[in-house]
């Protein structure tokens, strides 16, 4: 990550909704978790190019609530850098697992997480139908279920 800088936002920093909305459909959905999450930003110079929001689910489990890279920087390994940073943060804070959820229609995202050491743990049936006011489509299909993936950490 030599050309990029990684920082954690302070609680009084402006929330980078423009980046977070790349990975979540509405500001209302983001607001359900963002105020109880730590927000991490990747910059190229002064430009914000990626974001990650981490949420403590329990003393042993940290969850990636949002991870996004702007389009012009995708497919350059930045997402994997963020995943590795999340693993590092989790280990430093003595979590035993890292969790992430994505849509059942997010085939690329599921493959990305699996390439980064995650395995499927659970399915939240009808999550996107029950938690969003309008149907959401991805890859030509309506998003219905959330796939939960887990990475078990070890020192």
């Amino acid at each position: 990550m030599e050309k990029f800088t990684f920082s954690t936002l302070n609680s009084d920093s402006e929330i980078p909704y423009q980046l977070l909305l790349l990975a979540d459909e509405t500001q209302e959905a983001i607001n359900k978790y963002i105020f109880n999450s730590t927000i991490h930003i990747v910059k190229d110079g002064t430009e914000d190019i990626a974001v990650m929001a981490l949420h403590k689910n329990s003393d042993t489990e940290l969850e990636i609530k949002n991870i996004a890279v702007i389009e012009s920087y995708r497919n350059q390994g930045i997402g994997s850098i963020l995943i590795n940073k999340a693993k590092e943060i989790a280990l430093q804070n003595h979590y035993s697992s890292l969790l992430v959820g994505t849509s059942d229609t997010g085939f690329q995202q599921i493959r990305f997480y699996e390439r980064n050491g995650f395995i499927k743990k659970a399915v939240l049936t009808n999550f996107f139908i029950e938690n969003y006011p309008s149907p959401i489509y991805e890859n030509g299909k309506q998003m219905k279920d959330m796939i939960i993936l887990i990475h078990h950490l070890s020192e």
Side-chain angles (χ1 to χ4, degrees):
M1 195 154 104
E2 60 273 351
K3 80 176 227 174
F4 305 117
T5 56
F6 182 89
S7 61
T8 303
L9 296 184
N10 298 321
S11 58
D12 59 344
S13 296
E14 186 175 326
I15 295 171
Y17 284 109
Q18 75 285 357
L19 286 173
L20 294 163
L21 284 165
L22 295 172
D24 213 329
E25 299 300 318
T26 66
Q27 187 170 326
E28 293 77 23
I30 292 167
N31 285 342
K32 289 180 180 178
Y33 61 80
I34 204 65
F35 301 109
N36 295 314
S37 299
T38 56
I39 305 170
H40 306 274
I41 297 285
V42 176
K43 289 181 179 279
D44 185 358
T46 59
E47 182 182 13
D48 293 346
I49 61 165
V51 67
M52 177 173 62
L54 299 176
H55 178 267
K56 176 183 177 177
N57 287 346
S58 70
D59 288 340
T60 60
E61 187 177 86
L62 187 65
E63 182 175 356
I64 300 170
K65 286 292 203 173
N66 190 306
I67 186 169
V69 178
I70 65 172
E71 191 169 347
S72 59
Y73 282 83
R74 290 184 188 155
N75 300 311
Q76 296 180 33
I78 296 168
S80 293
I81 290 168
L82 281 170
I83 293 291
N84 288 333
K85 192 67 170 175
K87 291 174 184 177
E88 182 184 311
I89 290 166
L91 281 170
Q92 288 171 348
N93 291 284
H94 310 290
Y95 292 101
S96 59
S97 60
L98 186 60
L99 223 61
V100 66
T102 193
S103 167
D104 57 341
T105 60
F107 311 119
Q108 279 186 298
Q109 296 94 310
I110 293 168
R111 281 194 304 274
F112 166 75
Y113 292 121
E114 290 176 337
R115 279 194 317 270
N116 281 281
F118 287 77
I119 58 172
K120 291 178 185 164
K121 177 186 178 191
V123 175
L124 300 180
T125 305
N126 292 325
F127 177 87
F128 292 97
I129 293 170
E130 293 169 358
N131 288 284
Y132 290 85
S134 302
I136 307 166
Y137 293 87
E138 181 179 36
N139 297 319
K141 297 183 177 204
Q142 183 178 353
M143 294 166 55
K144 294 180 182 172
D145 302 335
M146 180 180 285
I147 307 299
I148 305 297
L149 298 106
I150 190 167
H151 178 77
H152 297 285
L153 301 160
S154 57
E155 305 262 353

